[in-house]
Amino acid sequence: MLSSIRLFLAVFAYLAFVGAQTVYSQVKPNAGLTIDQIMQGTAFTGTSPSNISWSENGRQIYFQWNPENNRRDSLYTVNADGKNIRKVSASASRLLPTTNGAYNRNYTQKVYEKNGDIFLLDVKSGKIQQLTHTVEREYLPDFTFDQKKIAFLQKDNLFYLHLGSGQLVQLTDFRKGAKPVDPEAPKNEQEKWLRKQQTVLLDIVKLREADKALAKAQVRQMGKNRPVEVYLGDKSVDNMVLSPDERYITYRAATSVTANTQIAQVPNFVTSSGFTQNIPTRSKVGNPQPVYEMAVYDRQQDTIFQVSFKELAGINEVPAYQKDYPAKQAKAANPRAVITYGPVWSDNGKNALLVVRSQDNKDRWLLHFDPATRTSKLLYRQHDDAWINGPGIGYGAGEIGWLPDNEHIWFQSEEAGYSHLYTVNINTGAKKALTQGNYEVSNLQMSKNKKHWYFNANKNHPGDVQFYRLPLGGGEAVALTSLPGHHEVTLSPDEKNLAIRYSSSNKPWELYIQDNRPGAKPRQVTNSLTAAFKAYNWREPEVISFKATDGVNIFARLYRPSQTAGRGPAVVFVHGAGYLQNAHKWWSQYFREYMFHNFLADQGYTVLDIDYRGSSGYGRDIRTGIYRHMGGKDLSDHVDGAKLLVDKYGVDPKRIGIYGGSYGGFITLMAMFTQPDVFAAGAALRSVTDWAHYNHGYTSNILNEPFTDSLAYVRSSPIYFADGLKGALLMCHGMVDTNVHFQDIVRLSQRLIELKKENWELAVYPVEDHAFTEPSSWADEYKRIFKLFETNLKPQP
């Protein structure tokens, strides 16, 4: 330990380096914890195991790990009893089957893709057979219903390979571009008349034309058993599904919109060539989106049929937000655009489940689908005036499937306010909730014997995720884990053991092994932490809750200094978005920020990290609380949090700062521009400054589109409120950010210049994308943040 004099000198020298002027004499910082250390990332903390999987025979567990602090993680393995951890050699790794793939019905064989070829694994013996070896990539392999063939895709066409004979059969023939035109075909009526005249007047012409027709007929006869040629034009195809009887192939076609869409270019200035290179990224919200169609190819009739969804319940409904635009509101003459997923066939091969979602993401339909007639029966409709999402639901098909009786489907829905598990009878329409309560179900899977469900849920506390087992028909869910925090569980092939990636709030993820029974004790396998990380006594942040102005319960992490003198300073951290939770009891994905908050607490700051409106883990109403107004309730939650700091935790109301990255940077800007009397200083990192310039997939769900809901964009974009800036503002942005483009911060900078604002600065990072990678960039950024707070939130001499 340093002597007290040496400790004082070390702290003083460090604070002078980052530009701070004073130190609270009442606070004794932890010696050895510096921003440079923190921002080394996993080189300082140690690298946790990831990508956990079992060997097919259940005797070993594989995982990515880096205990030696190399440039990259390596593959490691450990015995099923947790003993004998060892690195897998590169040569041995190349021979292992992939973790993904498809099993036959009795789990004795597995088919998978590796390096663009298809392999077949015999699970019991471990023998691997390579089925394809081609230049082209074969992908998405699966067993056909009769289990005798392997179906796969190659160049967007469907094939299958007979396991017995080895015969390869092409099932579809999709071709790019337009159908070739016969160069001899007449181009107009005049040419048609001349051709007919020639055959009437000249016998030799008539004879040769007959020979040509016969040759064409013979070619057609020879290709009779081949799939019909489908010329796609500018469309693309995907989602190809072969029916159990192999008669029907359903697929989805999408029109290309690139010709009508401008793609933003991000300049990369620091390159190996010495020349600036443009990186093509994405379009902006509201640009034309692909139009999707579903079709059925009847192999027996050699005919393709389009599937219509014009009769879907609610397909013509006008979105609720359009009531704010009475002058624009028009009657829905055309059905809303949709996208299809599936179908998913029942185990007996007789029933098909199809998922259809509106492209505005306000409706999701589950349908009982008949490919023979291209008709469907509605089983369940989920509607949300905001947008549909949540655990097990997402933006695609969601978690869906069939129960063993082949008469019930299962799925997840936020119908009751939280994402839960439901079943519906396809014959009677009877619906049943298998889970219910003020918690969310996630990572749902059915046991191999089809007698139980396994899933994660935060039943005990929104920030505490345990692993549960539930009888297939519903009943009492039994917790199989109990340690506070989060459990990412991978079941062994025989489902007798659990490989658990577990963490708590102040300890990073480690690998554990546990028997699959309630009350079983988990056994820790890995020890990943560095000596430097373990040398510091990391705080376990308090997970608190408080009432927002509108009465909603808001959760947050609180870090408090050990000593304060009078009313001290505080910092509010704003996590990123994309549906995320951070006020929880496990190791944060914002682990650098977690360590920085410990550092700030050592310097006398109280730190509050809020799960604001829009965060995950709290159900539908919190999730959609930002609909049509980002910077509304999500910002007021932070204002209420600042008030809590003053009223309950002894914080000086004039000395509160705020910072965050991405969505957190956006909220920081809104706070500094619209709540200048609440926050004295703010650091906005990689911030969205104008939502009309962000991407379509994320933004259109929350704010609709700029040209259809301009009110939402104006009240949600910081650039419109920049005139309200009073406090000190630091903005940091990577120049090669392909997510939130550097252009965003440049436009806001010009706006601040035109408004004659002087109390702001911009730090740029020439080689960084949205997520920084270089420790030097991280350290520079957070030293600037600390200097901002030291200068503006602490008394100056």
Side-chain angles (χ1 to χ4, degrees), residues 30-33 37 42-46 506-508 510 524 526-539 587 595:
N30 183 293
L33 184 63
Q37 280 182 310
T42 55
F44 175 57
T45 63
N506 62 351
K507 292 179 182 174
E510 298 285 8
Q524 185 171 343
T526 58
N527 289 281
S528 308
L529 304 181
T530 66
F533 180 83
K534 290 188 288 187
Y536 180 85
N537 186 23
W538 298 100
R539 291 168 175 81
W587 186 244
M595 293 188 288

mmCIF file of all heavy atoms in Angstrom, residues 30-33 37 42-46 506-508 510 524 526-539 587 595:
data_model
loop_
_atom_site.group_PDB
_atom_site.id
_atom_site.type_symbol
_atom_site.label_atom_id
_atom_site.label_comp_id
_atom_site.label_asym_id
_atom_site.label_seq_id
_atom_site.Cartn_x
_atom_site.Cartn_y
_atom_site.Cartn_z
ATOM 1 N N ASN A 30 -9.589 4.979 -4.071
ATOM 2 C CA ASN A 30 -8.929 3.681 -4.024
ATOM 3 C C ASN A 30 -7.633 3.756 -4.819
ATOM 4 O O ASN A 30 -7.639 4.078 -6.002
ATOM 5 C CB ASN A 30 -9.861 2.618 -4.605
ATOM 6 C CG ASN A 30 -9.262 1.239 -4.522
ATOM 7 O OD1 ASN A 30 -8.280 0.959 -5.179
ATOM 8 N ND2 ASN A 30 -9.872 0.377 -3.733
ATOM 9 N N ALA A 31 -6.522 3.489 -4.174
ATOM 10 C CA ALA A 31 -5.239 3.531 -4.873
ATOM 11 C C ALA A 31 -5.186 2.460 -5.944
ATOM 12 O O ALA A 31 -5.596 1.333 -5.729
ATOM 13 C CB ALA A 31 -4.109 3.316 -3.878
ATOM 14 N N GLY A 32 -4.683 2.821 -7.108
ATOM 15 C CA GLY A 32 -4.477 1.844 -8.157
ATOM 16 C C GLY A 32 -5.589 1.780 -9.178
ATOM 17 O O GLY A 32 -5.397 1.211 -10.245
ATOM 18 N N LEU A 33 -6.771 2.366 -8.906
ATOM 19 C CA LEU A 33 -7.861 2.341 -9.874
ATOM 20 C C LEU A 33 -7.824 3.629 -10.681
ATOM 21 O O LEU A 33 -8.046 4.714 -10.145
ATOM 22 C CB LEU A 33 -9.209 2.194 -9.172
ATOM 23 C CG LEU A 33 -10.425 2.070 -10.108
ATOM 24 C CD1 LEU A 33 -10.319 0.815 -10.952
ATOM 25 C CD2 LEU A 33 -11.717 2.073 -9.306
ATOM 26 N N GLN A 37 -6.715 2.115 -16.546
ATOM 27 C CA GLN A 37 -6.942 0.708 -16.247
ATOM 28 C C GLN A 37 -8.335 0.274 -16.692
ATOM 29 O O GLN A 37 -8.502 -0.732 -17.389
ATOM 30 C CB GLN A 37 -6.812 0.467 -14.741
ATOM 31 C CG GLN A 37 -5.409 0.341 -14.214
ATOM 32 C CD GLN A 37 -5.434 0.064 -12.722
ATOM 33 O OE1 GLN A 37 -6.105 0.758 -11.968
ATOM 34 N NE2 GLN A 37 -4.705 -0.943 -12.297
ATOM 35 N N THR A 42 -11.519 -5.903 -21.157
ATOM 36 C CA THR A 42 -11.300 -7.261 -20.671
ATOM 37 C C THR A 42 -9.832 -7.547 -20.367
ATOM 38 O O THR A 42 -9.527 -8.496 -19.654
ATOM 39 C CB THR A 42 -11.823 -8.287 -21.694
ATOM 40 O OG1 THR A 42 -11.205 -8.041 -22.966
ATOM 41 C CG2 THR A 42 -13.332 -8.193 -21.826
ATOM 42 N N ALA A 43 -8.916 -6.734 -20.892
ATOM 43 C CA ALA A 43 -7.510 -6.904 -20.525
ATOM 44 C C ALA A 43 -7.319 -6.604 -19.044
ATOM 45 O O ALA A 43 -6.390 -7.118 -18.412
ATOM 46 C CB ALA A 43 -6.623 -6.001 -21.367
ATOM 47 N N PHE A 44 -8.200 -5.782 -18.473
ATOM 48 C CA PHE A 44 -8.148 -5.457 -17.049
ATOM 49 C C PHE A 44 -9.033 -6.393 -16.228
ATOM 50 O O PHE A 44 -8.636 -6.882 -15.172
ATOM 51 C CB PHE A 44 -8.574 -4.006 -16.843
ATOM 52 C CG PHE A 44 -8.682 -3.599 -15.393
ATOM 53 C CD1 PHE A 44 -7.593 -3.716 -14.529
ATOM 54 C CD2 PHE A 44 -9.872 -3.094 -14.892
ATOM 55 C CE1 PHE A 44 -7.697 -3.339 -13.192
ATOM 56 C CE2 PHE A 44 -9.979 -2.716 -13.561
ATOM 57 C CZ PHE A 44 -8.891 -2.836 -12.703
ATOM 58 N N THR A 45 -10.227 -6.676 -16.708
ATOM 59 C CA THR A 45 -11.153 -7.494 -15.922
ATOM 60 C C THR A 45 -10.867 -8.989 -16.067
ATOM 61 O O THR A 45 -11.094 -9.767 -15.144
ATOM 62 C CB THR A 45 -12.604 -7.259 -16.370
ATOM 63 O OG1 THR A 45 -12.759 -7.665 -17.737
ATOM 64 C CG2 THR A 45 -12.984 -5.791 -16.244
ATOM 65 N N GLY A 46 -10.390 -9.401 -17.237
ATOM 66 C CA GLY A 46 -10.343 -10.814 -17.604
ATOM 67 C C GLY A 46 -11.480 -11.106 -18.562
ATOM 68 O O GLY A 46 -12.521 -10.428 -18.555
ATOM 69 N N ASN A 506 -21.460 -7.470 -9.334
ATOM 70 C CA ASN A 506 -20.075 -7.011 -9.242
ATOM 71 C C ASN A 506 -19.056 -8.089 -9.593
ATOM 72 O O ASN A 506 -17.867 -7.937 -9.327
ATOM 73 C CB ASN A 506 -19.789 -6.451 -7.845
ATOM 74 C CG ASN A 506 -19.941 -7.491 -6.754
ATOM 75 O OD1 ASN A 506 -20.413 -8.601 -7.003
ATOM 76 N ND2 ASN A 506 -19.563 -7.133 -5.533
ATOM 77 N N LYS A 507 -19.529 -9.184 -10.205
ATOM 78 C CA LYS A 507 -18.626 -10.247 -10.654
ATOM 79 C C LYS A 507 -19.009 -10.674 -12.067
ATOM 80 O O LYS A 507 -20.155 -11.032 -12.323
ATOM 81 C CB LYS A 507 -18.687 -11.436 -9.710
ATOM 82 C CG LYS A 507 -18.096 -11.133 -8.341
ATOM 83 C CD LYS A 507 -18.181 -12.327 -7.414
ATOM 84 C CE LYS A 507 -17.613 -11.965 -6.031
ATOM 85 N NZ LYS A 507 -17.808 -13.041 -5.046
ATOM 86 N N PRO A 508 -18.047 -10.645 -12.990
ATOM 87 C CA PRO A 508 -18.337 -11.003 -14.390
ATOM 88 C C PRO A 508 -18.745 -12.464 -14.552
ATOM 89 O O PRO A 508 -18.652 -13.274 -13.629
ATOM 90 C CB PRO A 508 -17.019 -10.713 -15.106
ATOM 91 C CG PRO A 508 -16.317 -9.727 -14.237
ATOM 92 C CD PRO A 508 -16.694 -10.102 -12.833
ATOM 93 N N GLU A 510 -19.028 -16.325 -15.354
ATOM 94 C CA GLU A 510 -18.193 -17.523 -15.269
ATOM 95 C C GLU A 510 -19.036 -18.742 -15.650
ATOM 96 O O GLU A 510 -20.274 -18.681 -15.634
ATOM 97 C CB GLU A 510 -17.618 -17.715 -13.860
ATOM 98 C CG GLU A 510 -16.713 -16.607 -13.374
ATOM 99 C CD GLU A 510 -15.318 -16.607 -14.001
ATOM 100 O OE1 GLU A 510 -15.083 -17.398 -14.945
ATOM 101 O OE2 GLU A 510 -14.476 -15.804 -13.559
ATOM 102 N N GLN A 524 -18.564 -24.026 -9.824
ATOM 103 C CA GLN A 524 -17.848 -23.099 -10.699
ATOM 104 C C GLN A 524 -16.727 -23.818 -11.427
ATOM 105 O O GLN A 524 -15.955 -24.565 -10.825
ATOM 106 C CB GLN A 524 -17.301 -21.918 -9.910
ATOM 107 C CG GLN A 524 -16.663 -20.860 -10.788
ATOM 108 C CD GLN A 524 -16.316 -19.590 -10.029
ATOM 109 O OE1 GLN A 524 -16.814 -19.363 -8.918
ATOM 110 N NE2 GLN A 524 -15.474 -18.753 -10.619
ATOM 111 N N THR A 526 -14.785 -22.089 -14.348
ATOM 112 C CA THR A 526 -13.747 -21.158 -14.794
ATOM 113 C C THR A 526 -13.476 -20.094 -13.740
ATOM 114 O O THR A 526 -14.349 -19.753 -12.933
ATOM 115 C CB THR A 526 -14.156 -20.464 -16.104
ATOM 116 O OG1 THR A 526 -15.399 -19.761 -15.901
ATOM 117 C CG2 THR A 526 -14.323 -21.459 -17.226
ATOM 118 N N ASN A 527 -12.281 -19.559 -13.773
ATOM 119 C CA ASN A 527 -11.888 -18.411 -12.960
ATOM 120 C C ASN A 527 -11.172 -17.442 -13.891
ATOM 121 O O ASN A 527 -10.000 -17.637 -14.220
ATOM 122 C CB ASN A 527 -10.970 -18.838 -11.815
ATOM 123 C CG ASN A 527 -11.704 -19.628 -10.754
ATOM 124 O OD1 ASN A 527 -12.393 -19.051 -9.911
ATOM 125 N ND2 ASN A 527 -11.576 -20.952 -10.790
ATOM 126 N N SER A 528 -11.891 -16.424 -14.305
ATOM 127 C CA SER A 528 -11.415 -15.581 -15.399
ATOM 128 C C SER A 528 -10.829 -14.257 -14.947
ATOM 129 O O SER A 528 -10.200 -13.564 -15.752
ATOM 130 C CB SER A 528 -12.574 -15.297 -16.369
ATOM 131 O OG SER A 528 -13.200 -16.486 -16.781
ATOM 132 N N LEU A 529 -11.027 -13.857 -13.704
ATOM 133 C CA LEU A 529 -10.669 -12.512 -13.276
ATOM 134 C C LEU A 529 -9.167 -12.342 -13.126
ATOM 135 O O LEU A 529 -8.467 -13.247 -12.660
ATOM 136 C CB LEU A 529 -11.358 -12.191 -11.948
ATOM 137 C CG LEU A 529 -12.881 -12.321 -11.937
ATOM 138 C CD1 LEU A 529 -13.432 -11.963 -10.574
ATOM 139 C CD2 LEU A 529 -13.506 -11.455 -13.024
ATOM 140 N N THR A 530 -8.678 -11.172 -13.501
ATOM 141 C CA THR A 530 -7.264 -10.864 -13.350
ATOM 142 C C THR A 530 -6.964 -10.456 -11.906
ATOM 143 O O THR A 530 -7.861 -10.045 -11.153
ATOM 144 C CB THR A 530 -6.845 -9.724 -14.280
ATOM 145 O OG1 THR A 530 -7.517 -8.518 -13.870
ATOM 146 C CG2 THR A 530 -7.199 -10.031 -15.733
ATOM 147 N N ALA A 531 -5.705 -10.529 -11.551
ATOM 148 C CA ALA A 531 -5.296 -10.116 -10.208
ATOM 149 C C ALA A 531 -5.555 -8.632 -10.001
ATOM 150 O O ALA A 531 -5.953 -8.200 -8.909
ATOM 151 C CB ALA A 531 -3.819 -10.441 -10.008
ATOM 152 N N ALA A 532 -5.349 -7.836 -11.051
ATOM 153 C CA ALA A 532 -5.583 -6.393 -10.949
ATOM 154 C C ALA A 532 -7.043 -6.086 -10.677
ATOM 155 O O ALA A 532 -7.374 -5.209 -9.868
ATOM 156 C CB ALA A 532 -5.121 -5.703 -12.235
ATOM 157 N N PHE A 533 -7.939 -6.798 -11.340
ATOM 158 C CA PHE A 533 -9.369 -6.577 -11.119
ATOM 159 C C PHE A 533 -9.767 -6.983 -9.702
ATOM 160 O O PHE A 533 -10.514 -6.284 -9.021
ATOM 161 C CB PHE A 533 -10.180 -7.366 -12.153
ATOM 162 C CG PHE A 533 -11.667 -7.205 -12.003
ATOM 163 C CD1 PHE A 533 -12.318 -6.117 -12.552
ATOM 164 C CD2 PHE A 533 -12.427 -8.148 -11.313
ATOM 165 C CE1 PHE A 533 -13.692 -5.957 -12.418
ATOM 166 C CE2 PHE A 533 -13.794 -8.004 -11.177
ATOM 167 C CZ PHE A 533 -14.427 -6.908 -11.725
ATOM 168 N N LYS A 534 -9.266 -8.104 -9.244
ATOM 169 C CA LYS A 534 -9.632 -8.605 -7.917
ATOM 170 C C LYS A 534 -9.038 -7.757 -6.793
ATOM 171 O O LYS A 534 -9.506 -7.831 -5.651
ATOM 172 C CB LYS A 534 -9.190 -10.063 -7.773
ATOM 173 C CG LYS A 534 -9.999 -11.025 -8.620
ATOM 174 C CD LYS A 534 -9.690 -12.480 -8.338
ATOM 175 C CE LYS A 534 -8.353 -12.906 -8.852
ATOM 176 N NZ LYS A 534 -8.135 -14.375 -8.711
ATOM 177 N N ALA A 535 -8.045 -6.936 -7.094
ATOM 178 C CA ALA A 535 -7.406 -6.120 -6.068
ATOM 179 C C ALA A 535 -8.307 -4.983 -5.585
ATOM 180 O O ALA A 535 -8.074 -4.423 -4.509
ATOM 181 C CB ALA A 535 -6.087 -5.556 -6.588
ATOM 182 N N TYR A 536 -9.319 -4.650 -6.369
ATOM 183 C CA TYR A 536 -10.224 -3.554 -5.998
ATOM 184 C C TYR A 536 -11.498 -4.134 -5.407
ATOM 185 O O TYR A 536 -12.011 -5.151 -5.875
ATOM 186 C CB TYR A 536 -10.534 -2.711 -7.238
ATOM 187 C CG TYR A 536 -11.451 -1.542 -6.982
ATOM 188 C CD1 TYR A 536 -10.946 -0.329 -6.518
ATOM 189 C CD2 TYR A 536 -12.819 -1.648 -7.187
ATOM 190 C CE1 TYR A 536 -11.776 0.749 -6.285
ATOM 191 C CE2 TYR A 536 -13.663 -0.577 -6.956
ATOM 192 C CZ TYR A 536 -13.149 0.621 -6.494
ATOM 193 O OH TYR A 536 -13.968 1.679 -6.253
ATOM 194 N N ASN A 537 -12.028 -3.484 -4.405
ATOM 195 C CA ASN A 537 -13.260 -3.926 -3.748
ATOM 196 C C ASN A 537 -14.460 -3.326 -4.481
ATOM 197 O O ASN A 537 -14.955 -2.256 -4.124
ATOM 198 C CB ASN A 537 -13.258 -3.511 -2.281
ATOM 199 C CG ASN A 537 -14.455 -4.070 -1.522
ATOM 200 O OD1 ASN A 537 -15.044 -5.077 -1.920
ATOM 201 N ND2 ASN A 537 -14.818 -3.397 -0.440
ATOM 202 N N TRP A 538 -14.916 -4.021 -5.511
ATOM 203 C CA TRP A 538 -15.978 -3.483 -6.360
ATOM 204 C C TRP A 538 -17.299 -3.422 -5.617
ATOM 205 O O TRP A 538 -17.697 -4.361 -4.941
ATOM 206 C CB TRP A 538 -16.127 -4.339 -7.621
ATOM 207 C CG TRP A 538 -14.892 -4.327 -8.446
ATOM 208 C CD1 TRP A 538 -13.921 -5.279 -8.495
ATOM 209 C CD2 TRP A 538 -14.472 -3.272 -9.315
ATOM 210 N NE1 TRP A 538 -12.912 -4.903 -9.349
ATOM 211 C CE2 TRP A 538 -13.221 -3.672 -9.862
ATOM 212 C CE3 TRP A 538 -15.004 -2.045 -9.684
ATOM 213 C CZ2 TRP A 538 -12.521 -2.879 -10.754
ATOM 214 C CZ3 TRP A 538 -14.311 -1.251 -10.576
ATOM 215 C CH2 TRP A 538 -13.083 -1.668 -11.107
ATOM 216 N N ARG A 539 -17.987 -2.302 -5.773
ATOM 217 C CA ARG A 539 -19.274 -2.121 -5.125
ATOM 218 C C ARG A 539 -20.329 -3.035 -5.728
ATOM 219 O O ARG A 539 -20.330 -3.283 -6.935
ATOM 220 C CB ARG A 539 -19.744 -0.667 -5.264
ATOM 221 C CG ARG A 539 -18.946 0.340 -4.479
ATOM 222 C CD ARG A 539 -19.285 1.749 -4.914
ATOM 223 N NE ARG A 539 -18.614 2.748 -4.086
ATOM 224 C CZ ARG A 539 -17.354 3.133 -4.256
ATOM 225 N NH1 ARG A 539 -16.631 2.609 -5.237
ATOM 226 N NH2 ARG A 539 -16.814 4.055 -3.463
ATOM 227 N N TRP A 587 -23.826 -8.907 -14.139
ATOM 228 C CA TRP A 587 -22.734 -8.115 -14.695
ATOM 229 C C TRP A 587 -23.221 -7.347 -15.912
ATOM 230 O O TRP A 587 -23.767 -7.912 -16.860
ATOM 231 C CB TRP A 587 -21.571 -9.030 -15.070
ATOM 232 C CG TRP A 587 -20.318 -8.351 -15.523
ATOM 233 C CD1 TRP A 587 -19.762 -8.436 -16.758
ATOM 234 C CD2 TRP A 587 -19.458 -7.524 -14.743
ATOM 235 N NE1 TRP A 587 -18.599 -7.717 -16.803
ATOM 236 C CE2 TRP A 587 -18.381 -7.132 -15.570
ATOM 237 C CE3 TRP A 587 -19.479 -7.067 -13.420
ATOM 238 C CZ2 TRP A 587 -17.355 -6.315 -15.130
ATOM 239 C CZ3 TRP A 587 -18.447 -6.242 -12.978
ATOM 240 C CH2 TRP A 587 -17.403 -5.875 -13.826
ATOM 241 N N MET A 595 -17.403 0.169 -13.944
ATOM 242 C CA MET A 595 -16.141 0.442 -13.250
ATOM 243 C C MET A 595 -15.917 1.949 -13.110
ATOM 244 O O MET A 595 -15.407 2.417 -12.082
ATOM 245 C CB MET A 595 -14.989 -0.223 -14.007
ATOM 246 C CG MET A 595 -15.050 -1.745 -13.982
ATOM 247 S SD MET A 595 -13.573 -2.558 -14.680
ATOM 248 C CE MET A 595 -13.797 -2.229 -16.436
#
